[in-house]
Amino acid sequence: MFEYAPAPESRDVVDIPSAYNLFVNGEWVESLGDDRIKTVNPASEEVLSEVALATEADVDRAVQAARKAYDEVWSTLPGRERAKYLFRIARIIQERARELAVLETLDNGKPIRESRDVDLPLVAAHFFYYAGWADKLRYAGYGESPRALGVAAQVIPWNFPLLMLAWKIAPALACGNTVVLKPAETTPLTALAFAEICRQADLPPGVVNIVTGAGETGAALVRHPDVNKVAFTGSTEVGRLIARQVAGTGKRLTLELGGKAANIVFEDAAIDQAVEGIVNGIFFNQGHVCCAGSRLLVQESVADEVLTALKRRLTTLRLGDPLDKNTDIGAINSAAQLAKIRELSDIGEQEGAQRWSPPCTLPDRGFWFPPTLFTGVAQSHRIAREEIFGPVLSVLTFRTPAEAVEKANNSPYGLSAGVWTEKGSRILWMADRLRAGVVWANTFNKFDPASPFGGYKESGYGREGGVHGLEAYLNV
Ligand code: NAP
Ligand code: MG
């Protein structure tokens, strides 16, 4: 075996100021409050910068700016003019992709290979895709001249900071809305870099406003009376709270929440390919993925073969410096998330499941968790029911397709599922019965801006992406 030589991506492409203000009405403005929060690199615990903790008054200022921009500028522009700005933003993102990828990796802890090859290309693709819709809304199937909703309040999580921003802002702007977006507390930096990109693209002031802060800032944004639309991605717990707050206000709401996806491997599947899909399904982005294939359902007859191959594959995963281009598994995003992963994994052992991890040295500083799998998992175990949101796989077995469906659907969530089999008819049979927003066949975690994404049951409602994603931002 050859050892890998270190292949670190250079940090020199990013320039992180020691402090940021809020982005309101096209300007950097100081918060009206005094509180600031630090954002750290989770791989080293180094403080990267400080951002403002926006207050209710700051949020009000941002919403007012978005309202004014909506009334006076953005809603009066023809679609082809809005498209020009979106195309411009998409191109600038491509031009600055390397810088944004490094910044994302520093602030989030995900491997550079993923931010560079997955996040950033998808971010640009999303803006290109919705730029294309801006002047064609009448052909989208929502009437002759579909109208925008107004001001959109958007709150996003930390697992795909810039990609979730793109999923929110691109369709909103294409449809003619203006936005106030709050990034997650632990990953604000790429959203703030995006604010700079809006300036670079000469986007009219107030069309995009970015307010940093924690949960309370998000709550202030959601309850602001002059907001027409709330778009939230995050935990089911907070989603439920928001649904209650918004009920009866006339605000439109879409919720993209948690998941506990089943990745189902039949005995006729190409096993090596399935093993790659299992690894991608749960260890991509340290398992901080709402649609992660966190429950492996494997047909009993091939369970030993799959597990042996999977364990062998896991021993080759490289955990460490996220900026190293050879790294497969980066850092856990925060101390709080690490504590949650540890707690649920310990509960898995206490409840009687068997824990396994490949030999793997964790760095001394930062937040780390080894790739882990649990066998002997029962459906009643908490690690089979609750979202761990980390690199932890629960393995269950089944005998018949009907049993696989039964087990897969036995979850309060319904965001995604995977099916591995050689038989096309079985894929269709399964897809008909799985109660999940996305069903991947012989692949996993595949994304495309043209394809809608969203949940069933406690995974939320509304769709992002594709022509379906327009509906969330149009008055239809
Ligand atoms: P979270 O705690 O719900 O936070 C999400 C966002 O909401 C953050 O910006 C958070 O701010 C903010 N927030 C917290 N409390 C709020 C409140 N009362 N009112 C308004 N906003 C509030 O979720 P998370 O732990 O960051 O993210 C992980 C979750 O997101 C997982 O459950 C995952 O499955 C889900 N997710 C779903 C999708 C999807 O498309 N379905 C995609 C990605 C992630 P702070 O960060 O400052 O606390
Ligand atoms: Mg951070």
Side-chain angles (χ1 to χ4, degrees):
M1 277 277 271
F2 288 108
E3 271 305 310
Y4 284 79
E9 176 69 72
S10 167
R11 283 181 69 142
D12 295 348
V13 288
V14 297
D15 183 17
I16 307 176
S18 57
Y20 285 89
N21 286 323
L22 304 170
F23 186 67
V24 175
N25 205 28
E27 306 279 344
W28 293 104
V29 303
E30 266 184 51
S31 167
L32 299 168
D34 298 324
D35 293 332
R36 308 191 64 82
I37 40 182
K38 292 181 168 51
T39 187
V40 303
N41 175 352
S44 64
E45 297 176 60
E46 165 206 2
V47 174
L48 294 169
S49 187
E50 250 182 38
V51 302
L53 185 75
T55 63
E56 184 140 24
D58 290 322
V59 167
D60 182 50
R61 224 164 26 155
V63 173
Q64 281 185 34
R67 171 62 56 198
K68 191 158 178 286
Y70 177 75
D71 289 342
E72 295 175 10
V73 185
W74 204 240
S75 65
T76 69
L77 289 183
R80 64 174 185 278
E81 288 302 315
R82 295 199 304 273
K84 280 188 202 166
Y85 289 106
L86 288 167
F87 277 121
R88 211 180 279 166
I89 288 171
R91 283 194 302 267
I92 297 172
I93 288 169
Q94 282 188 322
E95 282 163 19
R96 297 179 58 174
R98 185 140 163 266
E99 170 197 348
L100 292 166
V102 171
L103 189 60
E104 194 78 307
T105 285
L106 284 172
D107 202 18
N108 170 281
K110 63 174 69 201
I112 186 72
R113 207 162 48 81
E114 293 180 7
S115 49
R116 182 194 63 192
D117 298 347
V118 182
D119 296 50
L120 261 296
L122 280 172
V123 170
H126 238 81
F127 277 98
F128 277 118
Y129 177 79
Y130 281 110
W133 269 118
D135 62 347
K136 303 173 195 73
L137 294 175
R138 55 191 298 205
Y139 306 111
Y142 302 115
E144 251 310 287
S145 49
R147 292 185 48 79
L149 294 168
V151 175
Q154 308 183 315
V155 179
I156 57 173
W158 45 262
N159 57 342
F160 293 93
L162 194 59
L163 185 57
M164 291 300 105
L165 173 149
W167 282 24
K168 296 274 177 284
I169 292 186
L173 263 46
C175 292
N177 305 271
T178 57
V179 311
V180 180
L181 176 129
K182 191 202 87 71
E185 181 179 351
T186 57
T187 54
L189 297 186
T190 45
L192 294 164
F194 181 81
E196 256 321 310
I197 289 174
C198 292
R199 278 165 65 113
Q200 205 182 335
D202 269 328
L203 189 72
V207 173
V208 168
N209 304 274
I210 311 277
V211 290
T212 50
E216 187 38 51
T217 307
L221 179 55
V222 165
R223 69 171 173 258
H224 194 289
D226 201 26
V227 153
N228 305 99
K229 152 87 189 175
V230 173
F232 173 78
T233 297
S235 60
T236 296
E237 190 191 344
V238 175
R240 207 176 272 132
L241 211 84
I242 290 178
R244 263 200 295 272
Q245 252 177 18
V246 166
T249 60
K251 291 174 193 171
R252 294 269 303 271
L253 176 64
T254 40
L255 295 173
E256 300 279 355
L257 310 175
K260 188 78 190 176
N263 202 0
I264 306 164
V265 180
F266 284 95
E267 60 189 1
D268 66 343
I271 300 294
D272 288 345
Q273 210 175 307
V275 165
E276 289 307 307
I278 296 163
V279 171
N280 173 255
I282 184 63
F283 300 114
F284 171 63
N285 200 29
Q286 295 74 246
H288 301 328
V289 182
C290 49
C291 50
S294 51
R295 283 186 296 155
L296 173 63
L297 299 184
V298 55
Q299 199 154 14
E300 212 174 77
S301 47
V302 290
D304 287 344
E305 186 187 349
V306 168
L307 272 172
T308 306
L310 181 59
K311 286 180 175 174
R312 194 186 321 121
R313 179 68 177 89
L314 292 190
T315 56
T316 67
L317 291 181
R318 301 173 57 81
L319 176 147
D321 179 8
L323 275 180
D324 192 314
K325 291 168 216 159
N326 292 322
T327 293
D328 300 304
I329 311 250
I332 300 302
N333 180 252
S334 64
Q337 187 58 29
L338 179 58
K340 188 184 152 200
I341 298 168
R342 284 186 176 147
E343 187 196 346
L344 272 167
S345 301
D346 291 346
I347 289 171
E349 273 183 304
Q350 284 156 25
E351 290 188 328
Q354 285 86 51
R355 180 180 188 153
W356 183 89
S357 289
C360 157
T361 331
L362 303 183
D364 302 330
R365 293 188 60 79
F367 316 126
W368 303 93
F369 198 86
T372 298
L373 60 85
F374 277 98
T375 49
V377 178
Q379 298 223 72
S380 56
H381 288 168
R382 283 182 63 188
I383 54 168
R385 313 199 59 79
E386 294 178 31
E387 188 181 42
I388 302 174
F389 223 56
V392 182
L393 178 67
S394 299
V395 184
L396 298 96
T397 58
F398 67 92
R399 289 183 183 166
T400 64
E403 188 188 344
V405 169
E406 200 51 47
K407 285 188 165 161
N409 288 341
N410 182 2
S411 164
Y413 295 113
L415 196 52
S416 64
V419 179
W420 298 82
T421 169
E422 199 183 51
K423 274 205 176 78
S425 58
R426 179 172 286 159
I427 291 170
L428 297 175
W429 190 89
M430 292 292 291
D432 266 350
R433 285 160 181 82
L434 291 170
R435 297 183 66 208
V438 184
V439 178
W440 284 295
N442 294 325
T443 185
F444 209 92
N445 276 341
K446 271 264 182 294
F447 296 96
D448 189 284
S451 165
F453 184 87
Y456 270 60
K457 301 191 274 186
E458 289 188 18
S459 290
Y461 44 81
R463 291 293 177 264
E464 291 188 308
V467 62
H468 307 71
L470 296 167
E471 186 180 352
Y473 290 97
L474 290 172
N475 198 355
V476 290

